[in-house]
Amino acid sequence: MTAREIIESGSAVLGIEFGSTRIKGVLIGPDHAPLASGSHEWENEYVNGIWTYSESAIRSGFQACYADLKKNVESLYGVRLKKLSAMGISAMMHGYLAFNEQMELLVPFRTWRNTITAEASEKLTEAFSFNMPQRWSLSHLYQAILNDEPHVKDVRFLTTLAGWAHFCLTGEKVLGVGDASGIMPIDSAALDYDAKMIRIFDELIADRHYPWKLRELLPQVLPAGASAGRLTSAGAKLLDPEGDLEPGCPLCPPEGDAGTGMAATNSVRPRTGNVSAGTSIFSMIVLEKALSKVYPEIDVVTTPAGMPVGMVHCNSCSSDLNAWVALFREFAEAMGAQLDTEDIFTTLFKKALEGDPAGGGLVSFNYYAGEPVTGLPEGRPMLIRKPDARMSLANFMRVQLYACMETLKFGMEIMKREHVAIDQVFGHGGLFKTEGVAQSILAAAIHAPVTVMKTAGEGGAWGIALLADYLVRKADGESLEDYLDQKVFAGMEQSTLSPAPEDEAGFDAYMRDFLACIPAQHAAVDGWKE
């Protein structure tokens, strides 16, 4: 069929992902290639000491993204989008979305970016003998309990952003296993929350006498390929207020951006991994065996099929880089030049390859928020340089790209010491759009070859579309791993770069300077309060 016939017949599959700065929708056909896309730019707000997105921003952003997708479909194919074969919802993982019995939000959404749960994180890690990061939903719930927040007694449902959006479309309180692994630890053998840890948590809070037990609050866990409900009439109207979208299409389990990143890069088998680089940056390495001990720098989550994954998650990646690029653009416009944003990024990224491998005496912290991996409770973007530093554009841009990966590198060095086997690492996300630049720097950071596929810029929206496609097009008994290998990525155009020894040595030298400057970041946080 032609693309138009695929859309008119209702054979297309839709994936929508709520990213940190953009909500994106991708429509794919039976060959998994994108047919159309739509997006909506948005940004988190810092309100009363909390990083959040308002309920109205979530709903209106959802609609704006879909409206842009519809517009794109009509402009490309001259047809209105009315029917879908399947659909999937993804979003940034973790955070705190707590609802009462009427499904009313009890407190503003507390996103993954908040670093306000240190006490809860530490106590749960000790109780579970399992690393419980600050951004995980259970850490947020326990911190609210420790804070004696009055809303906790009224909580009847706890979920993620993807889980809530999915509920709005289907009425189902479910979650993909990968996203659920960012609420609390998962038992991969049972494909469910760890039952022992649920008992431990209930015992920890028994003296509070809440009218609920933990399991009663949590969404049902589903693996990739499981049915997660269908689009209701109310859900179709919410997504498409114009009324064109027909209800009834099946939805796959809602997933987090980590899981969709794994799907989008075919890194769901043991010994494979990926690095997702956008507003945040994180690596996901599918483990063959458990780590030898608990590391606060490494989270253990799962693939969309439930396999254990070692994850290094860093709160800041491209925000500070984007701010500097905006400054350069403002200067260019002041000089009378009108430049395309993509051209500016491409030029500056390529310039970074000319820089000193060790950074030329410059160090950059891109910390818009706290970074638990390096022990920072809050962040202050900061550029530091020695008096004799070589302050060239090339060095400056190289250091900006180092800053996007320096905290990730810190965590990945632990995996290296743990002898975690890695056969293949895929890079995806907006940072990899300029061919070869971020890819080569990441290879130097992790001391391993990095592969970027043709679809690297599509990101998680394409990944959740693939998971929705797997729901309706998999063969009986076909695993997610085989489906991706044989039906999606076979013959996919890709490029692989091995780390250059001089870049590896240079980044290692830069890291010594970076680690030496961490006390300055602490001092800035302590002395320069909001």
Side-chain angles (χ1 to χ4, degrees), residues 273-350:
N274 76 88
V275 171
S276 174
T279 303
S280 64
I281 185 169
F282 52 84
S283 60
M284 310 283 296
I285 308 299
V286 186
L287 302 174
E288 286 186 298
K289 60 182 180 178
L291 301 177
S292 66
K293 64 178 184 178
V294 175
Y295 290 97
E297 301 89 353
I298 300 176
D299 311 345
V300 178
V301 292
T302 79
T303 70
M307 293 288 293
V309 174
M311 177 183 192
V312 179
H313 184 284
C314 312
N315 287 342
S316 298
C317 181
S318 62
S319 294
D320 198 41
L321 172 67
N322 292 343
W324 284 110
V325 172
L327 182 68
F328 289 137
R329 177 171 187 158
E330 184 180 346
F331 170 73
E333 290 174 348
M335 294 294 292
Q338 295 297 320
L339 302 175
D340 179 76
T341 299
E342 189 168 331
D343 289 342
I344 297 173
F345 272 99
T346 299
T347 300
L348 291 173
F349 271 47
K350 289 182 176 179

Side-chain angles (χ1 to χ4, degrees), residues 87-250:
M87 183 177 174
I89 300 297
S90 175
M92 57 192 108
M93 290 176 67
H94 319 296
Y96 187 65
L97 279 159
F99 299 87
N100 63 15
E101 196 160 353
Q102 291 74 42
M103 281 301 294
E104 297 167 329
L105 196 59
L106 291 169
V107 292
F109 174 29
R110 298 170 184 177
T111 78
W112 57 270
R113 200 170 199 171
N114 291 285
T115 50
I116 56 175
T117 64
E119 181 184 5
S121 172
E122 182 179 346
K123 289 183 175 180
L124 289 177
T125 295
E126 182 179 0
F128 293 167
S129 297
F130 185 99
N131 181 34
M132 285 293 297
Q134 289 198 49
R135 66 187 182 281
W136 283 27
S137 304
L138 194 61
S139 295
H140 278 278
L141 175 63
Y142 192 43
Q143 190 65 55
I145 292 170
L146 295 175
N147 293 345
D148 292 318
E149 296 186 36
H151 78 272
V152 175
K153 67 180 185 305
D154 299 319
V155 177
R156 294 297 181 273
F157 183 51
L158 184 69
T159 191
T160 64
L161 180 55
W164 183 31
H166 183 92
F167 172 83
C168 292
L169 296 182
T170 66
E172 300 288 340
K173 295 180 178 179
V174 300
L175 209 57
V177 62
D179 206 11
S181 71
I183 289 182
M184 69 165 292
I186 292 290
D187 179 345
S188 288
L191 291 177
D192 201 356
Y193 305 108
D194 189 292
K196 179 181 177 181
M197 295 182 192
I198 285 182
R199 289 195 299 271
I200 291 172
F201 186 86
D202 284 337
E203 291 168 3
L204 278 176
I205 65 168
D207 62 338
R208 303 281 178 154
H209 304 293
Y210 290 122
W212 49 259
K213 298 291 186 182
L214 178 57
R215 182 170 282 277
E216 297 168 6
L217 307 184
L218 302 178
Q220 180 187 356
V221 178
L222 297 174
S227 174
R230 290 183 175 271
L231 182 65
T232 63
S233 296
K237 190 69 174 176
L238 168 67
L239 192 57
D240 184 15
E242 293 181 333
D244 291 321
L245 181 60
E246 298 177 13
C249 79

Side-chain angles (χ1 to χ4, degrees), residues 360-427:
L362 284 71
V363 169
S364 179
F365 287 84
N366 66 347
Y367 287 6
Y368 267 55
E371 284 291 0
V373 172
T374 48
L376 270 299
E378 297 178 42
R380 301 290 182 269
M382 179 189 296
L383 177 69
I384 305 172
R385 58 192 177 100
K386 297 175 182 177
D388 62 346
R390 294 175 292 283
M391 184 65 173
S392 66
L393 180 61
N395 285 343
F396 179 84
M397 286 307 303
R398 190 176 191 95
V399 164
Q400 292 308 310
L401 289 173
Y402 279 174
C404 291
M405 302 178 192
E406 60 201 9
T407 309
L408 180 82
K409 179 175 173 62
F410 183 84
M412 286 296 291
E413 292 293 338
I414 297 172
M415 292 238 206
K416 183 181 178 184
R417 294 194 294 272
E418 276 275 335
H419 305 291
V420 172
I422 305 173
D423 291 337
Q424 199 167 29
V425 172
F426 295 89

Side-chain angles (χ1 to χ4, degrees), residues 423-500:
D423 291 337
Q424 199 167 29
V425 172
F426 295 89
H428 74 110
L431 206 66
F432 298 100
K433 282 188 175 181
T434 301
E435 184 177 352
V437 180
Q439 182 181 4
S440 64
I441 291 176
L442 177 61
I446 65 174
H447 307 291
V450 173
T451 298
V452 173
M453 296 182 180
K454 183 180 180 181
T455 54
E458 296 296 341
W462 186 64
I464 190 64
L466 294 180
L467 292 174
D469 190 83
Y470 174 63
L471 168 67
V472 294
R473 296 199 172 106
K474 68 180 184 299
D476 288 343
E478 186 174 27
S479 69
L480 177 63
E481 295 87 345
D482 287 344
Y483 185 81
L484 293 176
D485 269 347
Q486 299 165 14
K487 294 184 177 177
V488 179
F489 291 97
M492 178 76 71
E493 182 181 336
Q494 60 186 39
S495 66
T496 301
L497 289 179
S498 296

